[in-house]
């Protein structure tokens, strides 16, 4: 469905202010298309700046790098700054906060648990020996193994789309584990044993049931399921 | 790490990571595929008439006893381990101990039942 400048689209937005509202509700807003290929985030900004300043959502860089604006648009988790309104082929966009996360207000979720799980995998370079020479060099081939792992922006779309993550409150989730893989398969890192120990656990890699929701949710087109599979293989390789 | 340890120690027994269960779910699945295809072939495509006489004659041999017992062990392991995974997914209270215990007993009972059915055949 092609949208043209001047067309109107309805945003049906999840609203909830725990201080005022007894229960969450949906409110309709009319958004005017002002340029070709307008993003959902631009529409949200239009509502907040021109119609209803009480609408609450996170955003920062508006170009898919900061990972602040993960939300559920017409049933699909994504970041609103990378989603064209016209790609939804609909006059109505239902916008909800990320499923499975506690809601603070409107589209803003509580990420504390999500980040606690991220810190479990020690997402930083662990070095046990001083760098040889001036810096830690890496071959082009070794660096290429990190493609598809390092791009994660921690928007929470994958973990929030994962039924295992909804069911098991202790499950680390695809996001934490793709970040574990990012360091385990980095030749410069020396902490892979402790990282694999952290994910080798019934709430870690073995809780993944390859539902594959994380892959379709990831706005950066990464493959967390494959990363979890790589970790599983690495653990089995080191044990047997 | 500490963040999750408490939970596992309480319900899982320390050191049990789920690694072995995950691997053997795949191993038993692959074994079941082979055994099941063998079973289908023997029962439905060899043209042998299936009645009590032929089946009991076949089950008198140690080889067939072993085949059927392996089949039972892998099927029970695969099925009940799958139920364990569902329990780990959804049961996060002390009930997990109850349900896992319950299915351990169910598994052992079925194994005993299968053994006393298969083993006594004597030609």
């Amino acid at each position: 469905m092609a949208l043209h400048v001047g067309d109107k689209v309805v945003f049906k937005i999840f609203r909830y202010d725990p201080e005022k509202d007894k229960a969450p509700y949906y409110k309709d807003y009319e958004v005017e298309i002002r340029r070709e290929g307008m993003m959902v985030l631009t529409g949200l900004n239009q509502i907040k700046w021109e119609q209803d300043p009480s609408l609450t959502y996170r955003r920062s860089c508006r170009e898919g790098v900061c990972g602040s604006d993960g939300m559920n648009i017409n049933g699909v988790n994504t970041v609103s700054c990378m989603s064209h309104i016209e790609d939804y082929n609909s006059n109505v966009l239902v916008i909800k906060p990320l499923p499975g996360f506690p809601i603070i207000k409107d589209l803003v979720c509580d990420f504390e648990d999500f980040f606690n799980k991220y810190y479990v995998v020690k997402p930083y370079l662990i070095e046990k020996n001083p760098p040889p020479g001036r810096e830690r060099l890496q071959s082009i081939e070794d660096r290429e193994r990190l493609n598809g792992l390092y791009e994660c922006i921690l928007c929470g779309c994958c973990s929030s789309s994962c039924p295992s993550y909804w069911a098991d409150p202790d499950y680390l989730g695809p996001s934490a584990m793709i970040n574990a893989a990012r360091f385990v398969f980095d030749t410069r890192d020396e902490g892979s044993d402790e990282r694999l120990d952290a994910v080798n656990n019934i709430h870690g890699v073995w809780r993944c049931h390859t539902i594959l929701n994380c892959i379709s949710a990831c706005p950066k087109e990464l493959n967390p399921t494959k990363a979890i599979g790589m970790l599983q293989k690495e653990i089995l390789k080191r044990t047997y | 790490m500490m963040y999750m340890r408490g939970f596992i120690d309480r319900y899982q027994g320390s050191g049990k990571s789920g690694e072995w269960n995950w691997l053997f779910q795949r191993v038993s699945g692959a074994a079941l595929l082979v055994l099941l295809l063998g079973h289908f072939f023997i029962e439905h495509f060899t043209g042998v008439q299936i009645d009590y006489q032929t089946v009991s004659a076949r089950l008198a041999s140690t080889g067939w006893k072993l085949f059927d017992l392996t089949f039972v062990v892998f099927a029970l392991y695969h099925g009940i381990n799958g139920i364990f995974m569902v329990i780990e997914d959804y049961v996060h209270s002390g009930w997990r101990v109850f349900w896992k215990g319950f299915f351990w007993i169910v598994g052992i009972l079925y194994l005993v039942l299968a053994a006393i059915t298969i083993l006594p055949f004597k030609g």
Side-chain angles (χ1 to χ4, degrees):
Chain A
M1 190 181 76
L3 288 170
H4 302 288
V5 175
D7 286 355
K8 304 263 198 225
V9 174
V10 173
F11 279 25
K12 210 177 183 54
I13 300 178
F14 178 100
R15 300 298 309 270
Y16 181 56
D17 181 352
E19 286 178 8
K20 278 196 300 191
D21 304 325
K22 276 200 188 116
Y25 60 97
Y26 285 91
K27 195 168 174 186
D28 291 1
Y29 297 93
E30 206 163 64
V31 170
E32 188 194 343
I33 303 293
R34 294 193 183 151
R35 52 183 278 193
E36 300 281 326
M38 199 169 112
M39 297 293 179
V40 176
L41 180 64
T42 320
L44 289 172
N45 285 339
Q46 196 184 103
I47 295 166
K48 186 169 178 74
W49 294 337
E50 295 167 21
Q51 300 175 34
D52 185 353
S54 73
L55 178 67
T56 312
Y57 53 95
R58 288 197 184 100
R59 81 258 187 250
S60 182
C61 75
R62 58 102 185 94
E63 53 190 15
V65 174
C66 72
S68 302
D69 58 343
M71 54 186 74
N72 184 292
I73 305 169
N74 277 8
V76 181
N77 287 357
T78 185
V79 289
S80 63
C81 56
M82 288 169 75
S83 310
H84 296 277
I85 294 174
E86 63 177 27
D87 284 351
Y88 289 91
N89 286 322
S90 169
N91 283 322
V92 183
L93 259 58
V94 182
I95 302 178
K96 294 184 280 191
L98 289 174
F101 286 178
I103 292 158
I104 295 173
K105 191 185 176 189
D106 293 348
L107 302 177
V108 176
C109 297
D110 186 354
F111 270 60
E112 198 181 325
D113 180 60
F114 174 85
F115 278 108
N116 280 340
K117 286 167 177 168
Y118 174 59
Y119 300 137
V120 166
V121 305
K122 308 188 180 180
Y124 40 81
L125 185 82
I126 296 174
E127 45 181 16
K128 292 186 174 141
N129 302 302
R134 286 174 58 193
E135 56 185 312
R136 291 175 190 279
L137 294 174
Q138 191 173 37
S139 72
I140 292 171
E141 293 76 38
D142 285 342
R143 169 62 187 77
E144 268 171 5
R145 290 182 77 195
L146 304 181
N147 286 350
L149 298 172
Y150 80 93
E151 297 95 330
C152 175
I153 56 172
L154 295 169
C155 59
C157 289
C158 57
S159 292
S160 156
S161 74
C162 173
S164 301
Y165 192 87
W166 302 336
D168 180 358
D170 287 301
Y171 178 41
L172 285 176
S175 174
M177 288 194 286
I178 197 173
N179 283 290
R182 183 251 170 273
F183 286 97
V184 166
F185 298 104
D186 190 330
T187 48
R188 295 164 294 186
D189 182 77
E190 291 168 320
S192 62
D193 283 334
E194 45 198 289
R195 254 188 281 277
L196 287 175
D197 191 39
V199 299
N200 180 11
N201 183 306
I202 63 159
H203 303 291
V205 286
W206 312 115
R207 186 94 269 122
C208 170
H209 301 320
T210 55
I211 297 164
L212 309 179
N213 272 10
C214 52
I215 303 172
S216 40
C218 181
K220 304 296 277 187
E221 298 181 353
L222 308 181
N223 191 333
T225 311
K226 192 176 161 204
I228 294 170
M230 285 158 74
L231 289 172
Q232 290 172 332
K233 226 165 129 182
E234 191 65 25
I235 289 168
L236 290 172
K237 221 165 77 187
R238 291 188 188 197
T239 326
Y240 300 107
Chain B
M1 199 60 218
M2 288 314 292
Y3 164 71
M4 297 194 309
R5 260 298 167 214
F7 191 87
I8 295 154
D9 286 347
R10 236 179 309 151
Y11 298 116
Q12 206 60 30
S14 58
K16 196 176 178 198
S17 66
E19 177 183 347
W20 199 85
N21 286 352
W22 184 89
L23 185 65
F24 262 75
Q25 188 73 352
R26 269 104 195 122
V27 171
S28 61
L32 277 179
L33 200 67
V34 175
L35 290 165
L36 195 63
L37 285 175
H39 170 81
F40 272 140
F41 182 76
I42 292 149
E43 297 295 325
H44 302 292
F45 297 102
T46 45
V48 178
Q49 201 191 346
I50 297 169
D51 50 29
Y52 185 77
Q53 270 70 37
T54 47
V55 172
S56 62
R58 193 164 62 204
L59 273 177
S61 78
T62 322
W64 284 113
K65 280 183 180 154
L66 216 61
F67 180 94
D68 277 14
L69 274 179
T70 320
F71 204 164
V72 166
V73 168
F74 275 129
L76 279 174
Y77 179 82
H78 193 79
I80 289 176
N81 195 37
I83 294 174
F84 280 2
M85 286 187 190
V86 176
I87 292 169
E88 283 165 12
D89 269 342
Y90 292 105
V91 186
H92 308 294
S93 64
W95 282 98
R96 180 183 288 189
V97 181
F98 169 80
W99 283 117
K100 282 198 161 179
F102 176 77
F103 281 103
W104 262 106
I105 294 165
V106 169
I108 289 165
L109 282 180
Y110 269 102
L111 192 62
V112 171
L113 198 62
I116 59 174
T117 311
I118 296 167
L119 292 177
F121 276 103
K122 285 195 199 87

